[in-house]
Every structure is written in C-alpha cells, then in structure tokens.
Amino acid sequence: MTSAPHPTPLTADDDWWRSAVVYQVYVRSFADSNSDGVGDLEGIRQRLPYLRDLGVDALWLTPFYTSPQIDAGYDVADYRDVDPLFGTLGDFDAMITDAHALGLRIIVDLVPNHTSSAHPWFTAALAAGPGSPERERYLFAEGKGEQGELPPNDWESIFGGPAWTRVPDGQWYLHLFDPAQPDLNWRHPEVRAEFEDVLRFWLDRGVDGFRIDVAHGMIKAEGLPDVGFNSMTTGQRQSELLGKGRLPYFDQDEVHDIYRAWRPILDSYPGGRMAVAEAWAETPQRLARYIGPDELHQAFSFDFLDATWSADSFRKVIDTALAESTIVGAPTTWVLSNHDRQRHVTRYGDGEVGLRRARAAALLMLSLPGCAYVYQGEELGLPEVLDLPDELRQDPAFLRTGESRDGCRVPIPWSGELAPYGFGPEGSELSWLPAPATWRALSVAAQAGVTGSTLELYRAALRIRRQHPALAGTEPITWLETEPGVLAFRRTAGGAELTCVVNISGAEVTVAGHGRPVVASADLTERGDGHVLPVDAAAWFERR
Ligand code: GLC
C-alpha cells in the first residue's frame, strides 16, 4: 500500500542535527505490534510517546526494507518498500506523521554498498551471464588459477572468509560482507542514478536524514589489487586495519564524488535534511573528508566508543574529536553503543561496576558539544547478553567467524514479570531472541518514576541538556584543573555555566566551587562546601 508523500511539519531549523540527541531504533528489537516476535513500524509508532518523554530529538531506524533478512535487513531487495515483517509503506507514513507531530525527526538507514542477492538486479545479473550489461552493475570477475578456480584477489569478507563467491558459469562476484550481499559497481551510472532516486523517494516521504551504511566502501581501487595478506594466508584479518590502515576496497578518493552528488539533493529539500556516514578511515583527517558543506553532515566517530575506562583515554579522544570538528566546521558525534558492538555496560566491566560506569559515561557524553547517538536500551542500562544459545544466534558473521552481534540486539524489556517483558502485545510470548530473567528489573515499567533508575537518569540529563543555555548549543568546553583520574570541563553560555565532573580515579573525590549539582549518576553527599563524588560516578553542577 502506498499513500501520498507529505512535507515535514517540523520547524525549519536547518541546523537541528548539530546538537541533537539521536536515538537508534533497532527496528526488529524495539516493539512488536503483531505478536510475531519481531519489532515493527507500528510498534515504533505506538511507543513514540515514550521517546518524546525520554527527551530525544530524532530517531535513526535500522533497515526495514524488503529483505531476506540474512544480515538483519542490511541485505536490501527493494529499497522503496517495507518488508512485510516490519509492516507496510502505509505504516511508515503513519509512524513518521506521528513522530513529526511529537517533534521527533526520522533518519533512515541507506545501504548503498551492496544489495541483497535477492535484488532483481542481482538475479538478472546471474541469469544474463558473463559479459552482459546486467553483470556490470555488480563486481563480477574471472578467477585466478588454470581453471579460474581461485578468487580474483585476496580480499577478505568483513564477516570472515573470502570476499568472493563463484557462480555456476565460473565467474566470481565480490561481497565485502555475506555472500547474500553482493557489492554494487559504483562506477556504473545506473547505480548512481538509482540511489539518487532512492534518496528522493524517502525525502519525498518526509524523512529528515539518512545514516549511510558502509559509507567508505562503495568505490574499490582500479584493478582490484591484492591487500597482501589475509586470515587465510598470514592469519591476520584484513578488517583489523579498519580505522587504522589503507585497504583497496575502503576509503578511496573517488567515493567523495558520490557524496558531492548527494548533497545538493539533500539541500533541495526544506528543513535541514542530513546524512551521517558510517565510515572508517585510516586517520581522523581522512574521516573528516566525508564531512562538509558539499558532502555529508556528520560521520560517526567510533573513537569515543573505543575509549577505555580511563580519564586519559577519554580526554585524548574528546580533544581530538573537538579539534577536528573545528577544522571541518561540523560538530562531532558521540556514540557509546550501537547494534554492531558489545553494549558499554559490559565493555566497562559488566555487572554493577559496568552499570555505574555506563551511567557516568552517559553524563559525560550528554554534556559534550555536538550530536549524541543513544542506542536503544542504553537508557535502561541494558548489558550485553553473553549467554545466548548458539542455535538462536542469527548474525551471519557468527557462522563465519564465531563472533556474534546478537547479544546487543535482544528485544527491549517494556514491562511485566515474564520474558519477553511486554515486547509484544499483551499475552504475546514470542521474541526473536530471548531476554534474560534479570531484565525484569530493567524494564521501562520497572524503572519509570523510580528515583535513581538509569531511565530517570537519562530523562533528567536529556531534559537539562535541552533546557540549559550552556548545553543547548555547540559552545566549546573548557577543561578544568583536577586531581589525576578526574575529568572536569565547563560550558558557558547566556550567563549560565554547567560543569561536568567524572570520577575515574578509583577513589572518591570532593568537588567544590562549581555551583549546585543538577544531576548525578550516583548519590552525592555533602562535605564542607562541596560534594563527595563516588568512584566511577559523574555529576553536573550549574551556576547562573
Ligand atoms: C554496517 C552495519 C552492519 C552490517 C554491515 C553490512 O556495518 O552497521 O550491521 O552488518 O554494515 O551492511
């Protein structure tokens, strides 16, 4: 079903993304409206008031397009339709209309590096055979060896194993991810025209932006040269170079031509339509090239996510990110978790320690200038589910490498005593991955209105972030002198001052002279003129 596209009814603030808090909705795990155990667009629509009350500005929805779901929807068979698993285009329209009415913007995921092997272009390419124009839209090549029995080069899939699969007529095709995700040939004009049209299709439907999947991958070096090693030959995985070194299939200069063609399309729509790149580059300087007035608005900075739990590590990452954002004239992005990485409660030590640290990290992230991305469930303090039975794991990478991203994708606990904790309608017992028994105490209903809960911490921090003059904009930070292991910085605007202090020193510290505490990740006690900030805790202080 289709319905008429509609304009964005939100205020025309072209710069909204500069200081926004974007909430990542992992669609299949957010809310299930039809009791099939998989989240869907109508489920999101029903839960929009929760997100408005949480206090975020926008939602990024992971792919909900027609797909065989080999890589959870990152294998798209029809870029202009909704998979029946998630609903219909009509459901999308209803969801975005309600979201906009509540003041929430919608960013959708665009997957341009590869299609699904079920995409009509790929089935046509297989049927048409070697040398056909249909094959030109993908990266087919002859193999090496006497009979062409060896892959065309040594490239390795990010999900493990060779990046090439041979088809019955003897040719090979490239897939940087699963064999069900053939890479497109972005030097082909039809590929470019198609995606420009897909952009317009969703912009016409009112989307406020795009998250560009594998934004650094679309162009491959001419001649498809070998890398020189891979886990099959030397044992070193090529993907270890992500963000650290050069690979002939990532971050090629020509990829920027694509974004220079996309930007005018985004700019031709009112209301500040934006794009954020999931890009990995050898250096921060090369990553910065994706951002700017003639390319994309943002690129995820994963350095913050990769920082270890130490003041030095955070300080270094924050300083670098802020310096770069000054150079490119665009605010940085802050990310602690997403659907590909272990949840930060677990990364920071798991259990009570991990949760304390995750709560402190939230206050750190939400007081920094720029755009923050919150991954669904982090506002509940959800940990990674480490003990999912292997037979339930669905990540295609698991089969190829033994590493699985399923543990951060377990459906959200909303309410109730028994799993799946209100993920579906009343009485529905299905969920595509099981939630652990410990999540009963972490559900939205169990935390809402409970003083000190992680949900209330996020709500309070997001409310202050919206309302406080010192946090509302993109004003820079000033680092303050502290004892070792403590991070303290101040932001000042409109006669108001907000100071964030994070205690990673391993011992309690007394904080004084920054005004009154407005939110804290752990209980503060008064001592003399100041407050005792416990170990692994953070607090915001304000002065007006
Ligand atoms: C991105 C997505 C990831 C997906 C991959 C292939 O990295 O975040 O989930 O598996 O691209 O599309």
Side-chain angles (χ1 to χ4, degrees), residues 24 35 57 76 144 180 186 226 329 331 337 372 395 528:
Q24 181 189 352
S35 310
D57 303 292
V76 181
K144 287 185 178 160
W186 270 87
D226 280 340
S337 278
D395 183 356

Side-chain angles (χ1 to χ4, degrees), residues 26 60 71 74-75 109 111 114 159 177 181 211 213-214 278 280 338-340 395-396 405 409:
Y26 192 67
W60 148 30
D71 185 21
Y74 283 96
D75 47 322
D109 217 312
V111 189
H114 44 265
F159 291 165
F177 294 88
Q181 295 165 296
R211 177 261 187 191
D213 188 63
V214 196
E278 183 221 13
W280 296 87
N338 64 30
H339 67 293
D340 290 330
D395 183 356
R405 299 166 293 176
R409 300 175 174 181

